[in-house]
Amino acid sequence: GQQVMQIPQYQHVQEGEDFTTYCNSSTTLSNIQWYKQRPGGHPVFLIQLVKSGEVKKQKRLTFQFGEAKKNSSLHITATQTTDVGTYFCAVNDYKLSFGAGTTVTVRA
Amino acid sequence: DTAVSQTPKYLVTQMGNDKSIKCEQNLGHDTMYWYKQDSKKFLKIMFSYNNKELIINETVPNRFSPKSPDKAHLNLHINSLELGDSAVYFCASSQDQGANVLTFGAGSRLTVL
């Protein structure tokens, strides 16, 4: 099945700063999904990207799908304490496989 | 109303025991899943059922036996629990088996002593 490498594994961010997490695949992806899991919570769907080069925004979150559909990124601007949690990308062939996640902590 | 509900939320038990986790979804979805999340937060699919039929079994030990009495329910029974079974088990559902968007339950934290 398809596998994705997600980096970094941990991201410690000063409140107000920006950060980016990346997902990379060795194969072309049909689509990619992003989920957020708050501490002690469960993964919650954020967005799905389908088209080559697609960019979608949700308030301070910007999601991008690479032109070759082999990588994706999530960029958060002006990080807030509400952004803490683990962000997963997920890809599917016959099943949804999750990246290892980027766990984000925020320094106030 | 909770879309995907699983019980119990916490489970502490001794090695060798048998335990079950139940899951129900009220979204009208056709497909349900069990995922295991280890201490490093890695999420790995275990099983998937579509309309009560097993469609994915990811080389899980046969001590784990899923059962889907109807498409709204997917239960997980674990025999002869081992220390390595300690994890959070998430139930999830999706519209159909096309690996659509997943809706997760709140999770069941299993601790094996």
Side-chain angles (χ1 to χ4, degrees):
Chain A
Q2 293 176 333
Q3 304 242 341
V4 277
M5 288 279 295
Q6 190 171 354
I7 55 170
Q9 187 176 359
Y10 298 100
Q11 185 82 54
H12 308 290
V13 189
Q14 181 72 42
E15 191 173 18
E17 290 184 343
D18 302 352
F19 76 90
T20 304
T21 174
Y22 302 89
C23 271
N24 299 303
S25 170
S26 57
T27 59
T28 302
L29 304 169
S30 56
N31 60 66
I32 192 163
Q33 298 177 15
W34 286 89
Y35 290 75
K36 177 183 179 181
Q37 183 177 15
R38 293 182 187 274
H42 58 279
V44 175
F45 172 76
L46 294 177
I47 210 155
Q48 177 168 276
L49 305 172
V50 178
K51 299 177 184 174
S52 167
E54 189 170 15
V55 178
K56 287 188 177 179
K57 291 191 174 185
Q58 289 179 352
K59 297 182 181 177
R60 295 177 295 101
L61 276 60
T62 301
F63 303 84
Q64 189 162 3
F65 204 6
E67 293 289 341
K69 298 182 74 174
K70 289 185 175 182
N71 55 72
S72 181
S73 63
L74 160 57
H75 181 78
I76 300 183
T77 58
T79 305
Q80 299 177 359
T81 54
T82 53
D83 295 323
V84 296
T86 302
Y87 294 83
F88 294 96
C89 61
V91 299
N92 66 62
D93 36 38
Y94 67 98
K95 62 182 180 183
L96 200 64
S97 297
F98 285 78
T102 294
T103 297
V104 177
T105 53
V106 179
R107 298 189 299 273
Chain B
D1 281 342
T2 305
V4 181
S5 57
Q6 51 183 113
T7 55
K9 191 169 173 61
Y10 299 98
L11 204 50
V12 181
T13 189
Q14 299 285 335
M15 264 196 314
N17 284 351
D18 304 339
K19 289 294 176 187
S20 293
I21 308 171
K22 295 186 174 182
C23 180
E24 175 182 5
Q25 54 96 2
N26 63 7
L27 297 167
H29 286 170
D30 285 345
T31 311
M32 296 185 73
Y33 310 81
W34 280 109
Y35 277 81
K36 179 180 180 181
Q37 186 171 49
D38 61 22
S39 57
K40 296 183 178 177
K41 294 193 171 63
F42 187 61
L43 267 168
K44 183 172 170 55
I45 190 168
M46 300 173 68
F47 300 103
S48 175
Y49 272 73
N50 186 66
N51 269 320
K52 304 190 297 178
E53 289 194 20
L54 179 67
I55 54 171
I56 294 174
N57 182 342
E58 286 290 301
T59 59
V60 178
N62 57 16
R63 298 182 296 105
F64 291 78
S65 51
K67 278 205 178 125
S68 182
D70 55 63
K71 75 171 194 176
H73 295 84
L74 180 60
N75 304 322
L76 183 64
H77 186 76
I78 315 170
N79 290 325
S80 303
L81 278 157
E82 300 177 356
L83 293 176
D85 297 331
S86 295
V88 180
Y89 292 84
F90 285 103
C91 177
S93 71
S94 66
Q95 189 77 44
D96 54 43
Q97 61 181 319
N100 292 328
V101 172
L102 297 190
T103 302
F104 282 86
S108 298
R109 180 176 292 277
L110 172 64
T111 303
V112 182
L113 302 175

